[in-house]
């Protein structure tokens, strides 16, 4: 059996961020201001703090202004909605991201609905979900768009390929299935109620796993030569004497590598793409707000 090619999401994302940096510089030259992203964090969830910090740093490195709003866990929904309204009106802010999950008591759907769809760089607003669903231009959630970029880079034209997306969440599985359909793949969405999941996955030329179950997809589920995109980020329990467990994906990487044609590692595969696409969406929003054509080929 062969050894799958490694899909280098980390490298791809770094190249994308560098391009965005150049284009953000051009934008600032043309308009006299940098593109701007507002990130709102409510409460002190440690993982969310790490994500928000990483997003802020990535913005600054790419020449995008980062406006961080850290609010206490006791923040009321009315206060949060007032902030979102203010950011909607702020001409320096092109993109608004409210870090999820929100502390209990805050209605995530109400907060997403309050974000202006033309600043919704996460692509979570129903208007943007609807646009994706009917094939109109809008903001697409960052993680699945990043997966599509990696697939196109690896495979070129996806027409007629059989794709299986495992997971049907609004932020990954569903938009992923729509993007693959738009790219002319034949798409199956598998989920927690799918029967004979291994048999379904075995048909696929492209497997996208977005489940949240460590190493669920085994080598014998994968058609030889298939391209495997592993969205899952799962932390295993710590080994003895260690403080933190290892990060693994939804695919049993080592054994799957012996069968797949190409595979993303975890970490270093899909994860870095998510932030790079967030910057990309912010840059596109900035162009649209300034009345400029969107930058080409992004
Ligand atoms: P989710 O919990 O919202 O959805 C999980 C989906 O998996 C559901 O649709 C469910 O039907 C399906 N599922 C659950 N058990 C299953 C089973 N036994 N067999 C088949 N399908 C099953 O999760 P999500 O937000 O879509 O995230 C999925 C994974 O991707 C998580 O590990 C998450 O951490 C990771 N993630 C990574 C990034 C990134 O930047 N790389 C971004 C978002 C999510």
């Amino acid at each position: 059996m062969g050894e799958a090619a490694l899909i280098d999401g980390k490298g791809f994302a770094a190249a994308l961020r560098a391009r965005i940096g150049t284009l953000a510089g051009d934008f600032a030259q043309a308009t006299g201001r940098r593109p701007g992203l507002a990130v709102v964090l409510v409460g002190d969830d440690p993982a969310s703090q790490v994500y928000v910090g990483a997003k802020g740093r990535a913005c600054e490195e790419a020449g995008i202004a980062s406006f961080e709003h850290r609010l206490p866990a006791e923040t009321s929904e009315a206060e949060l909605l007032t902030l979102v309204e203010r950011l909607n009106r702020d001409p320096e802010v092109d993109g608004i991201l409210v870090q999820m999950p929100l502390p209990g008591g805050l209605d995530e759907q109400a907060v997403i609905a309050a974000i202006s769809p033309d600043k919704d760089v996460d692509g979570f607003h129903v208007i943007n979900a609807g646009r994706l669903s009917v094939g109109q231009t809008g903001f697409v959630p960052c993680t699945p768009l990043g997966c599509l970029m990696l697939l196109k880079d690896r495979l070129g034209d996806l027409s007629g390929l059989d794709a299986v997306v495992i997971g049907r969440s609004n932020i990954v599985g569903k938009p992923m299935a729509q993007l693959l359909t738009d790219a002319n793949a034949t798409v199956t969405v598998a989920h927690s109620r799918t029967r004979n999941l291994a048999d379904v996955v075995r048909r696929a030329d492209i497997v996208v796993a977005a489940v949240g179950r460590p190493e669920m997809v085994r080598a014998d589920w994968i058609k030889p030569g298939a391209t495997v995109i592993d969205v899952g980020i799962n932390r295993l329990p710590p080994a003895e004497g260690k403080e933190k467990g290892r990060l693994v994906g939804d695919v049993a990487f080592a054994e799957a590598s012996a069968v797949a044609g190409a595979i993303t590692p975890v970490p270093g595969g899909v994860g870095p793409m998510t932030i790079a696409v967030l910057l990309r969406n912010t840059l596109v929003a900035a162009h649209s707000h300034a009345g400029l054509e969107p930058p080409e080929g992004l």
Side-chain angles (χ1 to χ4, degrees), residues 23-255:
L23 292 166
D26 295 346
F27 177 88
Q29 282 270 317
T31 64
R33 69 174 184 92
R34 293 190 294 168
L37 174 68
V39 178
V40 180
L41 173 62
V42 187
D44 40 25
D45 178 65
S48 293
Q49 290 195 349
V50 171
Y51 294 145
V52 166
K55 284 166 187 172
R57 279 193 303 281
C59 275
E60 292 297 335
E61 273 170 36
I64 292 175
S66 160
F67 308 105
E68 269 181 31
H69 296 268
R70 292 176 185 252
L71 308 178
E74 311 77 62
T75 302
S76 71
E77 195 166 303
E79 285 167 327
L80 182 54
L81 293 176
T82 303
L83 172 61
V84 169
E85 283 305 325
R86 184 153 67 74
L87 297 172
N88 281 341
R89 287 192 305 271
D90 187 337
E92 299 285 310
V93 172
D94 295 298
I96 302 171
L97 180 155
V98 178
Q99 184 66 45
M100 303 292 167
L102 290 173
L106 297 176
D107 179 350
E108 294 184 349
Q109 287 310 317
V111 174
I112 292 170
I115 297 172
S116 169
D118 68 303
K119 296 193 176 186
D120 168 42
V121 286
D122 255 342
F124 293 168
H125 194 290
V126 287
I127 293 274
N128 284 314
R131 284 174 178 152
L132 176 61
S133 155
V134 298
Q136 289 177 9
T137 305
F139 291 112
V140 175
C142 302
T143 302
L145 185 52
C147 294
L148 186 76
M149 288 178 181
L150 294 179
L151 283 167
K152 286 192 165 167
D153 183 59
R154 173 78 203 163
L155 298 170
D157 186 7
L158 309 185
S159 286
L161 294 179
D162 281 319
V164 171
V165 178
I166 319 176
R168 57 177 162 183
S169 71
N170 289 335
I171 63 168
V172 191
K174 276 186 210 158
M176 187 75 246
Q178 282 167 329
L179 288 169
L180 286 165
T181 306
D182 291 347
N184 300 315
T186 303
V187 182
T188 303
V189 181
H191 47 74
S192 51
R193 306 288 178 91
T194 296
R195 279 185 268 167
N196 304 323
L197 181 58
D199 291 337
V200 172
V201 174
R202 222 174 273 127
R203 293 204 297 261
D205 305 302
I206 294 169
V207 180
V208 180
V211 183
R213 288 183 164 239
E215 302 181 320
M216 182 184 81
V217 177
R218 310 308 306 191
D220 65 354
W221 298 23
I222 293 168
K223 173 159 128 183
T227 303
V228 178
I229 304 289
D230 190 352
V231 182
I233 303 176
N234 311 292
R235 197 171 285 285
L236 294 179
E240 218 160 286
K242 293 269 177 23
E243 208 175 293
K244 271 188 178 176
R246 223 162 33 91
L247 276 188
V248 297
D250 291 342
V251 179
F253 179 82
E255 58 176 68

